[in-house]
Structure formats: C-alpha cells, structure tokens
Amino acid sequence: MATQRKNQRDLTVDEWARFIGAVDALHGTRAAAPAYRAFVGVHVAAMSMTGMAWGVHTMGSMGMVGRNFLAWHRRFLWQFEQRLQREDPTVTIPYWDWITDPAIPTALADPATLKRWSVVRHWTPADMPTKAELDLVTAQTRFSRFQRRLELGPHAEVHVAVGGEDGSGTMNSPSSPADPIFWLHHANIDRLWADWQIHHDTATPANTTEVLQPAPLFAVTVATQLSIARLGYSYA
C-alpha cells in the first residue's frame, strides 16, 4: 500500500508521538536489527575512505564525487522508513520544508528528547538557505548540475545551520543521522528532487545501471530509485 509523507507542520500530536516512539524503539542494545546505530554506521562509512567508491557525497578533500547523492539517500530514507514501520505501520518520515518553515520543528527540539538521543546541536539560523538560493538549484535543467548544486548548496547549509560550522554538532558530522532531524531534512531533499523530476522527466543520471552500495541495505541499481511511485510513497 502506498504511503504519504507529510509536511512536519501538518503532523498531529499523535503522529509526532508515533514517529518519536518508533525512533526510540530502534535505540538501545535490545533493538532488533537493523537498529538505529546500524543506519548511522552506514552513513559514517559512506563518508569515509571505505565509501569513496560508493559516490554518495562530494568531498573534495578526499576526492569524492557525489554522483549517487540523490539516489543513495532516497534508498537510505526508504529503508529507514521501512524499519520504522516494523515498529509502527502508521509511521512515515515527515519532511521539513526549511524554506517555508526555517525553524527546527518544535517536536524535535525538546532538550530532554535530544539528551535521550545524545544529540548535540549548534543552531545558527543565519546559515539556513534562502529561497533565492533554492530557486537557482531548481532552475537547472541537467540532472548532474541539479544534484551537485542541491547537495553543495541548500543541503549542506542546513547541515551546517543545525550542527554548527565547526562540525562539533551531530548534524554536521559523518554521524548526522544520529540526529533524527536528518531524516526530515533529507525527506525534503528527496521531495525537491521528486518535484523537479515531474518537470524534467527525461533528465536522469548517467549511471542508471550502477549498483548502489553497501549491501544489504542497498544492492539495487540507480534506475530502481528514480520513481517514488514505484517505491510506494508520495509527498503531501
């Protein structure tokens, strides 16, 4: 059955409680595999020398080019959402439209909750992307330019704004998924890509036959990740 990812500002109190409850259920040594730490671990690997060949992020200092930035993260979110739904079938990942609502969602800003998750933030609203910056990204007509500008522009700016420019906060580190705001941020990135695809339906990655890594969370081709309808979800 298809699921719908909602704007975080439209979630009810009960929906927030279910989402946070599902996240909580994935923590701890008794959590069934894959536990939350496994998702964090694969993202850390993707930003290390081990993950250079995966093409997940652009990191000039390491010679990394994020050719699979969008497809890889789409699969990453899908797998995490599937895992949450094992705890609560009603849960989907909400998206954080940080242009319309630039403040961190209140439900994910509770100090006690952040302490429970061991999340560190250095919130700097001035570093958040602007609509003008995003418009320059969405105006691109070639996939490679759209992906690169989205990754290195608005996407990166949100990580810095939440985690701090010096990299001492969770969101601006390889362990960024440890902060659950990561999933809402990347759901929005995925939503922006899905919307861009509607208007540029022939603009696809050049490497559609490449198999995303690592297994078992991935091991699917880029081509299989190009349609959110086929993956069974949509955005409200």
Side-chain angles (χ1 to χ4, degrees):
M1 183 177 68
T3 60
Q4 188 178 70
R5 296 177 181 172
K6 297 172 63 175
N7 190 324
Q8 59 82 25
R9 68 177 178 180
D10 296 327
L11 263 62
T12 66
V13 172
D14 179 66
E15 287 171 329
W16 271 120
R18 286 177 175 273
F19 175 76
I20 292 172
V23 169
D24 281 340
L26 269 60
H27 281 84
T29 57
R30 295 186 179 183
Y36 199 105
R37 59 188 173 274
F39 289 92
V40 176
V42 77
H43 192 270
V44 170
M47 296 186 72
S48 71
M49 294 298 293
T50 300
M52 276 189 69
W54 303 350
V56 177
H57 302 95
T58 299
M59 300 173 67
S61 62
M62 296 176 65
M64 291 174 122
V65 178
R67 66 183 181 278
N68 294 322
F69 171 72
L70 288 172
W72 191 94
H73 282 88
R74 176 169 283 178
R75 184 68 177 182
F76 194 42
L77 262 70
W78 185 87
Q79 288 283 16
F80 184 71
E81 188 170 67
Q82 294 288 303
R83 181 64 186 88
L84 290 175
Q85 289 173 351
R86 283 171 51 189
E87 303 298 328
D88 187 336
T90 70
V91 170
T92 57
I93 299 174
Y95 65 89
W96 175 26
D97 180 357
W98 22 255
I99 294 297
T100 304
D101 299 295
I104 293 176
T106 303
L108 295 183
D110 176 59
T113 302
L114 298 180
K115 182 178 181 180
R116 185 171 74 247
W117 290 334
S118 300
V119 168
V120 175
R121 289 190 183 146
H122 298 295
W123 175 230
T124 310
D127 285 332
M128 289 291 280
T130 66
K131 184 179 184 300
E133 290 173 321
L134 183 59
D135 286 345
L136 288 174
V137 173
T138 57
Q140 302 306 309
T141 57
R142 288 196 294 118
F143 174 80
S144 60
R145 287 174 66 88
F146 169 76
Q147 175 173 245
R148 182 170 63 253
R149 292 193 177 197
L150 183 59
E151 179 195 1
L152 299 179
H155 157 260
E157 289 173 339
V158 173
H159 277 278
V160 170
V162 178
E165 191 170 354
D166 63 356
S168 59
T170 307
M171 263 287 276
N172 195 19
S173 74
S175 300
S176 53
D179 186 340
I181 197 67
F182 170 95
W183 305 105
L184 280 72
H185 170 40
H186 273 274
N188 194 50
I189 293 293
D190 186 62
R191 179 185 69 92
L192 291 168
W193 180 27
D195 184 66
W196 186 85
Q197 287 180 291
I198 293 172
H199 304 285
H200 305 85
D201 58 349
T202 61
T204 58
N207 60 327
T208 55
T209 61
E210 182 178 350
V211 177
L212 298 174
Q213 299 295 329
L217 279 179
F218 296 86
V220 295
T221 64
V222 170
T224 65
Q225 304 306 298
L226 300 184
S227 169
I228 64 172
R230 291 182 181 178
L231 290 170
Y233 67 92
S234 63
Y235 286 98

